[in-house]
Amino acid sequence: MEVELAQELGFCSGVRRALRLLRKAAREYGNVVTLGDAVHNRQVVEELSGIGVKSIVSISEVDSQVVAVPSHGLSKQNLDEIRAMGLSIVDTTCPRVERAQRSAAGLVKAGFQVVVFGDIHHPEVEGILSWTHGKGRALRFPEEMAGIEGSLKSLGILSQTTQNIDAFAAFASKLVSMHLGTIEEVRVVNTICDATKKRQEAALELARKVDLMVVIGGYNSANTGRLAEVCASTGVETHHVEAAWELEAEQLKGKRIGISAGASTPDHVIRDVVVRLKNIES
């Protein structure tokens, strides 16, 4: 068995920044809650819980004077409600996500109908849309725009930060071409994170050289799921796992294996997978 790691994988700068802020807050305040998981990785959430940073589902569960904003951000409404309660806020929102939020707000202010390429159910997308004041919507496919052609004179298009750049380009191009009859002005803002793009490119390059790809990261991690999709698109056998113990020996022996990992996957989890693979071969 040969094992090769992608050139870009694991924690991005935004996640490292978020964890640094949360650890500092835990030392200073002792008890901190995050509205939603701080990052989309089970191991990280468990580790944070061990130092006093607890994940909650809704504001009604707040039992601390300190509330942390997850790295993928919160909606404007949530932030306003937390401030109205007089609570302290530790904002770990990734700067790239903040840029997407500002872009959405700026487009609306300039008179654009906003479309976000992404998953409407993802917290990041919900947060971005909250800055459009009802003048934005999230789509996965251009065809979902049907029925509101009359509002498309000025169209602003941006993306969930963890989407694939080629998919975003194809989406924007098709959306515009479908509505050229009514559109007078289009503005496309590339809000895809550089770290996401680099990890996808590195995973794609490696996937083309190996027999099997292992993509490590949370099952609820959008960027990890996208990495797995990118790898699988090459036709190579691809396994998305959260932890080393999920790997089955009979699937792996004698193969050249490539490893990639999502931007919220800890270094030690990646090391555990490498060790597991070496133990399987021996």
Side-chain angles (χ1 to χ4, degrees):
M1 179 193 298
E2 295 180 51
V3 178
E4 184 174 348
L5 274 64
Q7 290 296 310
E8 297 278 350
L9 79 171
F11 277 171
C12 65
S13 60
V15 169
R16 292 190 190 278
R17 172 182 173 274
L19 296 181
R20 185 171 63 253
L21 291 172
L22 289 170
R23 288 167 181 147
K24 180 175 182 288
R27 289 194 301 271
E28 292 180 358
Y29 304 109
N31 179 27
V32 179
V33 296
T34 64
L35 190 54
D37 291 344
V39 299
H40 286 145
N41 183 275
R42 176 177 53 81
Q43 294 99 326
V44 172
V45 171
E46 290 173 355
E47 289 168 14
L48 288 172
S49 179
I51 62 171
V53 181
K54 182 176 69 173
S55 175
I56 60 173
V57 175
S58 70
I59 292 176
S60 64
E61 297 177 50
V62 172
D63 60 358
S64 169
Q65 286 299 306
V66 183
V67 178
V69 179
S71 61
H72 43 266
L74 285 178
S75 70
K76 185 178 185 301
Q77 291 84 352
N78 280 154
L79 288 170
D80 290 344
E81 188 173 351
I82 293 168
R83 291 189 182 103
M85 295 169 68
L87 302 174
S88 297
I89 296 177
V90 176
D91 191 352
T92 77
T93 306
C94 173
R96 275 81 172 181
V97 175
E98 285 185 342
R99 177 176 178 268
Q101 293 173 345
R102 290 195 302 270
S103 296
L107 286 168
V108 168
K109 187 175 181 179
F112 288 82
Q113 166 74 31
V114 174
V115 170
V116 181
F117 175 55
D119 178 5
I120 180 58
H121 302 296
H122 193 282
E124 178 194 320
V125 175
E126 292 174 351
I128 294 170
L129 287 176
S130 73
W131 293 90
T132 70
H133 306 289
K135 296 180 180 178
R137 61 187 302 181
L139 307 176
R140 288 300 306 273
F141 305 101
E143 293 78 8
E144 295 171 343
M145 200 67 179
I148 63 167
E149 287 85 349
S151 63
L152 291 183
K153 289 186 177 181
S154 297
L155 178 62
I157 309 172
L158 48 81
S159 177
Q160 182 179 356
T161 62
T162 54
Q163 290 289 333
N164 175 267
I165 188 69
D166 292 331
F168 176 49
F171 169 88
S173 176
K174 187 171 183 180
L175 181 62
V176 171
S177 67
M178 287 174 62
H179 299 280
L180 273 178
T182 58
I183 290 176
E184 296 177 359
E185 184 177 5
V186 177
R187 190 175 297 175
V188 179
V189 185
N190 179 10
T191 51
I192 292 176
C193 172
D194 286 343
T196 293
K197 182 173 178 288
K198 289 177 180 177
R199 278 155 183 72
Q200 290 178 1
E201 289 173 347
L204 186 62
E205 180 181 353
L206 183 56
R208 290 171 173 152
K209 302 190 298 183
V210 298
D211 303 316
L212 182 148
M213 282 293 297
V214 174
V215 180
I216 313 163
Y219 291 128
N220 60 341
S221 165
N223 75 84
T224 305
R226 214 79 61 214
L227 280 175
E229 290 174 4
V230 166
C231 294
S233 72
T234 67
V236 72
E237 182 179 351
T238 302
H239 298 267
H240 177 182
V241 301
E242 276 193 341
W245 62 264
E246 299 175 46
L247 296 170
E248 299 180 12
E250 59 270 20
Q251 298 175 316
L252 307 171
K253 283 187 175 180
K255 294 183 177 179
R256 186 178 184 190
I257 298 173
I259 295 178
S260 182
S264 53
T265 305
D267 297 341
H268 70 84
V269 175
I270 299 171
R271 287 195 297 270
D272 288 346
V273 169
V274 173
V275 170
R276 166 74 170 156
L277 291 172
K278 290 180 178 178
N279 288 341
I280 286 173
E281 190 65 9
S282 60

